[in-house]
Amino acid sequence: DGWLPANATRGNCPDALPPLGACEPACLPGFTAVPGGLARCAADGALEVNASCEPSACDVSADLPPGSRGDCPKVLASGEQCRAGGPHGSRLVLCLLGELGNVSARGNGSGAGGAGNDSGAGGEEREPLRCPPGQEEFQGGCTQCAPGRFKQGTGTGQCQDCPAGADVSGDAVRGGASLADCSCDSASYATRNVVND
């Protein structure tokens, strides 16, 4: 199955396609097929694949209650963040492979009309999760850092962006577990001035 595009499964593609036959690979969960993508067998028997799977975006307007979208667009691309919120505070949300979750809570404690601390009705504060390297808290659990981001060590911290001109080496889907996992883009080597940067 080396012919499959990244983040795809065989879908309705059989073991062998007849000449001029076509099939449609399917995308893994969290990924969306680019419309019109097919695998075709040409008349000469050569396989042509123009299918691809992109990280799924989040439908923010469906995931957040009315009036709490803050500065978030209706659709947020995977790996992107925005600030959602209303009169009682705001929070940074992240779209990761079609799932929208909190990055961090930022209550301003000043409710509408200066109502004071907005601690919730009888709610208990819970301890932040201590996620392993390469993961951050997301919707009450730990999830992998997004592509181009990393988190070193076990703890409550959030994933950080790799330095400009770098990305997580060899993985277009997940982030890294340390700064060492960020590798310079070959086009950016000329701009680097620190060893191992």
Side-chain angles (χ1 to χ4, degrees), residues 51-156:
S52 62
C53 297
E54 297 179 344
S56 298
C58 296
D59 182 355
V60 177
S61 59
D63 291 340
L64 294 177
S68 68
R69 211 170 83 204
D71 68 3
C72 294
K74 289 183 179 180
V75 176
L76 189 64
S78 183
E80 296 292 317
Q81 300 177 2
C82 63
R83 185 155 304 279
H88 299 291
S90 65
R91 61 193 169 117
L92 196 58
V93 294
L94 168 72
C95 176
L96 186 60
L97 302 178
E99 296 290 329
L100 190 66
N102 293 334
V103 173
S104 62
R106 301 257 194 262
N108 65 15
S110 66
N117 189 334
D118 182 20
S119 60
E124 291 181 21
E125 282 194 42
R126 65 174 177 82
E127 288 249 348
L129 284 178
R130 295 183 48 80
C131 296
Q135 296 185 18
E136 64 185 351
E137 185 175 358
F138 182 75
Q139 293 184 336
C142 293
T143 190
Q144 290 288 323
C145 295
R149 295 173 60 85
F150 73 96
K151 183 182 139 249
Q152 231 164 263
T154 299
T156 60

